[in-house]
Amino acid sequence: GRKRILEWHVVHEKLPWGIILLLGGGFCIAEGCVESNLSMWLGQQLASLKHLDARLNMFIVVIVITFFTEVASNTASATIFLPILADLAVSGLKVHPYWLMLPAAISCSFAYMLPAATPPNAIAFSYGHLRVIDMMKAGLVMNFIGILSVTFVGNTILVGVFDLDTFPSWANHTAAMACQNTTT
C-alpha cells in the first residue's frame, strides 16, 4: 500500500496530549462560567467598582484579570470578562467601554506564573528543567511589571488614541438595545 504522511503511533507518541487537554479545559471553564451564572455573579461583584475613580477601576480590573488568567486560558478569560466589563463600563460606570476592555484584553495575556497558564508555559515546563516555584517567582515579577505598564498606558496613551474621555454615542445605543432585549 501507500505510505501515509502521518501514522497513528507517531501522533500517539509525539503529540503533547496534556497541552491539548489543558487548552480544552480552559474553554470548558469559560463555558462553565457562563452556564453556571458565575459570569453574572462576577459582574455583580465588579458592579461595586462604580463608586471608585475610573483610573482605580482600570487598575483593579487589570489585577483581577492578570491573576485570573493564570488558572484559565487567555481566550477563556477574555470570553468571561470582556462582556461583563463592557456592560459595567456603559451601565455602571458611564465611561467609554474601551476604558476597561482594552486593558483587560491585554491583561488576558499576562499568564507567566504557572505551567498550566498558557501552552508555551506548559511546553517550557514539560522539559523538566524548571520547577513550579521558579516559574511563580519570575512570573510574579512579570505580572507586576505588566500590571503597572498596562495601567499606565491605559490611563495615558490609550486615552488619547481612542478618545476614552468621551462617552461614545454608539455605547448609548448599545446599552439601550441590551436593556430592550432583556425586557422583551
Side-chain angles (χ1 to χ4, degrees), residues 130-144:
L130 293 172
R131 296 178 306 163
V132 173
I133 193 71
D134 297 329
M135 292 184 76
M136 290 180 71
K137 287 177 185 175
L140 189 61
V141 172
M142 293 295 294
N143 279 346
F144 284 124

Side-chain angles (χ1 to χ4, degrees), residues 27-42 79-80 84:
F27 291 119
C28 290
I29 288 172
E31 184 63 24
C33 287
V34 172
E35 291 296 320
S36 69
N37 291 326
L38 177 61
S39 292
M40 186 184 309
W41 180 82
L42 284 169
T79 302
I80 292 167
I84 294 169

Side-chain angles (χ1 to χ4, degrees), residues 3 24-25 39 46 53 56 100 102 119 125 134 148 152 158 168 180:
K3 184 164 172 66
S39 292
L46 291 172
D53 180 67
L56 183 58
L100 296 177
L102 288 172
F125 183 75
D134 297 329
L148 295 175
F152 175 75
L158 293 180
Q180 188 178 38

Side-chain angles (χ1 to χ4, degrees), residues 10 13 17 31 37 40 52-53 58 64-65 75 82-83 97 116 120 124 132 143 156 173 175 180:
V10 174
E13 292 171 12
W17 290 102
E31 184 63 24
N37 291 326
M40 186 184 309
L52 302 175
D53 180 67
M58 182 188 293
V64 168
I65 292 176
T75 306
L82 291 182
V132 173
N143 279 346
T156 56
H173 177 70
Q180 188 178 38

Side-chain angles (χ1 to χ4, degrees), residues 86-153:
D87 184 56
L88 176 65
V90 172
S91 303
L93 302 175
K94 308 287 189 240
V95 297
H96 196 301
Y98 293 174
W99 183 268
L100 296 177
M101 293 176 70
L102 288 172
I106 295 167
S107 297
C108 287
S109 296
F110 291 163
Y112 303 116
M113 289 176 55
L114 299 175
T118 64
N121 289 10
I123 291 168
F125 183 75
S126 71
Y127 283 102
H129 301 294
L130 293 172
R131 296 178 306 163
V132 173
I133 193 71
D134 297 329
M135 292 184 76
M136 290 180 71
K137 287 177 185 175
L140 189 61
V141 172
M142 293 295 294
N143 279 346
F144 284 124
I145 291 170
I147 289 166
L148 295 175
S149 298
V150 167
T151 303
F152 175 75
V153 169

